[in-house]
Amino acid sequence: MPLRDKAEALGNVKLEVELGFDAALGLREAERCLNCDIQTVFTDALCIECDACVDICPMDCITFTDNGEEADLRQRLMAPALNLEQAIYLSGPLADGRIMVKDEDVCLHCGLCAERCPTGAWDMRKFLLDMTHAGELA
C-alpha cells in the first residue's frame, strides 16, 4: 500500500496515511488473490497432534476432539459451526483416538495450516468442481 510521507502524516493527524491504489497497482494486487480452487487436505496418518495448525489458524476453524454425533461435534468446535447446510470436514481416528474437525464454512483456505505443519499432514491441493448445467426447457 502506498503511504503518505512520514513528515507530512505526522504534521497533520487528520490526513490519511494510506494513499490507496491507482488502477495499475490495484490490478497487480488483485492478481495476487488466493485461488478459491485450492483446498486444504488433511492426512490423518501423518498427524502428530502437535496443534501447530490450531495455533496458527486465524479463524479458529480447526479442532481436535473426541468423535461424536454431528450436532454435538458442531458445538465442541473452537468456533461452533452454525451453518448446518455446510458439511464439516472430519479426519479418521488419530493416534490418541481423537479426530480433527474443520468448519469449511469458516476456513479461508489461506494455507497457514499447511505451512506450519511439521509433518505435512496438511496440504493445499487444487480442486476442480465440474458442474452439470441443465439444458433449455422444451
Side-chain angles (χ1 to χ4, degrees):
M1 174 70 65
L3 302 175
R4 189 175 302 279
D5 178 67
K6 278 185 193 177
E8 187 181 0
L10 291 172
N12 183 352
V13 296
K14 294 183 178 184
L15 289 177
E16 290 286 337
V17 175
E18 294 180 342
L19 299 175
F21 298 131
D22 61 21
L25 185 55
L27 182 61
R28 277 204 326 264
E29 288 296 314
E31 289 174 343
R32 294 176 351 119
C33 189
L34 291 174
N35 290 322
C36 292
D37 60 349
I38 303 297
Q39 303 293 319
T40 52
V41 177
F42 182 74
T43 307
D44 45 38
L46 296 176
C47 182
I48 59 172
E49 302 175 59
C50 65
D51 284 355
C53 55
V54 174
D55 293 340
I56 197 75
C57 180
M59 301 306 292
D60 293 331
C61 66
I62 301 170
T63 304
F64 289 90
T65 187
D66 294 325
N67 203 349
E69 294 296 320
E70 183 176 345
D72 179 46
L73 276 176
R74 285 180 181 274
Q75 295 308 310
R76 287 189 276 131
L77 300 180
M78 297 278 290
L82 303 177
N83 180 1
L84 302 179
E85 299 296 317
Q86 175 67 51
I88 51 178
Y89 184 41
L90 305 172
S91 75
L94 301 171
D96 73 352
R98 298 183 306 162
I99 60 169
M100 182 286 305
V101 185
K102 182 167 73 91
D103 184 355
E104 290 291 346
D105 194 47
V106 177
C107 181
L108 298 174
H109 300 132
C110 64
L112 289 174
C113 54
E115 281 185 34
R116 182 81 178 268
C117 183
T119 64
W122 284 104
D123 193 13
M124 299 298 289
R125 296 189 191 153
K126 189 167 182 79
F127 171 78
L128 176 64
L129 177 62
D130 190 11
M131 302 265 315
T132 304
H133 298 280
E136 293 180 7
L137 294 174

